[in-house]
Amino acid sequence: QVQLVQSGAEVKKPGAAVKVSCKVPGYTLTALSMHWVRQAPGKGLEWMGGFDPEVAKIMYAKKFQGRVTMTEDTATDTAHMELRSLTSEDTAIYYCAINKNRRGHYFDFWGQGTRVTVSS
Amino acid sequence: SYELTQPPSVSVSPGQTASITCSGDKLGFKYSSWYQQRPGQSPVLVMYQDNKRPSGIPERFSGSSSGNTATLTISGTQAMDEAAYYCQAWDSSTAVFGGGTKLTVL
């Protein structure tokens, strides 16, 4: 099994930004395809973006383009997802998920989730 | 944008077979994956590339895909299989999830 370890819960005010991190102990990020998926309370899964090995770059869902940045710190093998201009609609659990071998567009393993609450 | 459609709910009796469908335009020409999510837990991959089971997933889980529909089948359904199930496909460098199906084992 592969473990993904995410940063802790966050509470933010509307208009602020949040940065969530994800680490995969024992693995280097360049060997994985890292993705971010969120789930609003009582709702389904929503893909935000991630690494597409076919084009060798991070792709973003159109809904989040311009408001999200996903980065990978190769020095610490930590992935980050920053979402800006938060509104109450961004209250959700944010998951990092990986394709372990960069060989498919599915998600082998998932982090424990980071709860982000946006409230004034 | 590409869309995947799932029934909101499916009910099954213990020991019976449950089938959960996922519909999308020409879905059979793409690979489908399925995730199980129990309440309060992270999703778990239960099927990938239409019909491949990850290590540790029971043999009672199987998958198929043809035309516009992918199907996750659970044979001999157990109480522990009660969960939400999400299909997922990849289209134009974008991952797409279905809306999810709540499987109830009565």
Side-chain angles (χ1 to χ4, degrees), chain B residues 49-98:
Chain B
Q49 291 179 352
D50 296 340
N51 55 17
K52 295 181 172 61
R53 266 182 301 106
S55 173
I57 301 302
E59 289 185 10
R60 65 179 180 274
F61 286 84
S62 63
S64 63
S65 182
S66 180
N68 295 323
T69 303
T71 303
L72 177 70
T73 301
I74 309 172
S75 304
T77 306
Q78 300 182 9
M80 67 186 297
D81 300 328
E82 185 164 289
Y85 290 84
Y86 295 90
C87 60
Q88 177 253 317
W90 188 263
D91 179 78
S92 302
S93 290
T94 299
V96 180
F97 286 98

Side-chain angles (χ1 to χ4, degrees), chain A residues 66-118:
Chain A
R67 202 161 69 93
V68 70
T69 302
M70 297 173 187
T71 55
E72 297 181 358
D73 183 342
T74 54
T76 60
D77 272 324
T78 303
H80 302 277
M81 185 283 298
E82 182 183 46
L83 187 62
R84 300 175 291 277
S85 303
L86 294 170
T87 72
S88 58
E89 302 291 303
D90 296 313
T91 293
I93 296 175
Y94 289 75
Y95 295 100
C96 57
I98 63 167
N99 182 278
K100 195 176 72 169
N101 297 313
R102 286 192 172 181
R103 286 184 190 170
H105 297 121
Y106 55 90
F107 312 122
D108 296 285
F109 300 99
W110 295 64
Q112 83 274 22
T114 296
R115 186 177 299 273
V116 175
T117 303
V118 183

Side-chain angles (χ1 to χ4, degrees), chain B residues 35-55:
Chain B
Y35 304 87
Q36 176 193 68
Q37 187 180 33
R38 296 189 175 105
Q41 296 186 16
S42 300
V44 173
L45 179 70
V46 295
M47 199 65 56
Y48 68 99
Q49 291 179 352
D50 296 340
N51 55 17
K52 295 181 172 61
R53 266 182 301 106
S55 173

